[in-house]
Amino acid sequence: MMHPDTGDGDGGNDVELHRNRGVLPLALVCVAGGVMVLAVAGDGPVLRMLVALGIVLIGVKVLVGALRPYRCVLGPDGLEVRRPGLRGTYRWEQFAALALDDAGRLVGVPGAGLPPGLPATARHPRDGRPAVELLDLRQVRESPDEVTAALTRYAGDRFTDARTPPAGADEEIDTDREATA
């Protein structure tokens, strides 16, 4: 669930998104299990030690990724992002367009006011213009509909929800209208 930022009073209307930490338990189990196998193996078979060491390294890599700094705040003035590969505060006016695609990514088409140097890592889902991936909704706890509502409220006409509606969504709406008529 999204919560308004109640920090220092400056961002009372801001919405902070929280990272999904679903991989954290798996990473901890890998590290602990690998260390236990290494401790038990002692001078045992080399293959067992190599497999255990590999499991520990994979667990550590996933653990470091899950604990890396992450911040995404949506507000009336813009978007603050701190994640691997992208860091900064961007005003809504700095983007020509923003869109949420079928893959659950928020992409922004750079506008005139955006500082140069941001890598174009995506394409706008409707017109194919080069865009910057700002957020991957699979990495946050909040639902895509909650994030869409906040983006619609704050980014206004710049934002487009380009996700394909689920099959049968129109039929349900028509059925509801017929039932109430």
Side-chain angles (χ1 to χ4, degrees), residues 149-169:
L151 287 165
T152 301
R153 183 171 59 240
Y154 295 134
D157 292 337
R158 282 184 170 73
F159 174 68
T160 303
D161 185 357
R163 296 177 294 164
T164 305

Side-chain angles (χ1 to χ4, degrees), residues 75-135:
D77 296 329
L79 169 76
E80 181 183 345
V81 181
R82 186 177 69 191
R83 66 166 179 81
L86 186 63
R87 201 179 184 135
T89 301
Y90 307 101
R91 299 187 58 79
W92 299 123
E93 297 82 28
Q94 292 177 304
F95 295 100
L98 294 155
L100 188 60
D101 66 12
D102 281 331
R105 298 178 310 162
L106 174 65
V107 297
V109 175
L114 199 63
L118 287 179
T121 56
R123 296 242 174 237
H124 190 281
R126 295 270 165 91
D127 57 24
R129 290 181 285 174
V132 177
E133 181 181 331
L134 300 169
L135 174 65

Side-chain angles (χ1 to χ4, degrees), residues 8 17 19 21-22 32 61 97 101 109 122 127 131 139 171 173 180:
D8 57 4
L17 304 179
R19 178 185 284 184
R21 299 207 186 262
K61 182 177 180 350
D101 66 12
V109 175
D127 57 24
Q139 296 178 352
E171 294 171 10
I173 293 170
T180 59

Side-chain angles (χ1 to χ4, degrees), residues 3-114:
H3 300 285
D5 180 14
T6 56
D8 57 4
D10 290 340
N13 294 327
D14 296 349
V15 175
E16 182 168 353
L17 304 179
H18 303 91
R19 178 185 284 184
N20 183 357
R21 299 207 186 262
V23 297
L24 194 57
L26 178 63
L28 291 172
V29 167
C30 284
V31 171
V35 168
M36 285 178 41
V37 170
L38 281 175
V40 170
D43 292 333
V46 175
L47 182 60
R48 183 183 308 164
M49 289 177 57
L50 290 176
V51 169
L53 187 59
I55 291 172
V56 169
L57 291 176
I58 289 171
V60 167
K61 182 177 180 350
V62 172
L63 189 61
V64 167
L67 296 176
R68 286 180 94 171
Y70 177 86
R71 181 170 170 87
C72 185
V73 179
L74 308 172
D77 296 329
L79 169 76
E80 181 183 345
V81 181
R82 186 177 69 191
R83 66 166 179 81
L86 186 63
R87 201 179 184 135
T89 301
Y90 307 101
R91 299 187 58 79
W92 299 123
E93 297 82 28
Q94 292 177 304
F95 295 100
L98 294 155
L100 188 60
D101 66 12
D102 281 331
R105 298 178 310 162
L106 174 65
V107 297
V109 175
L114 199 63

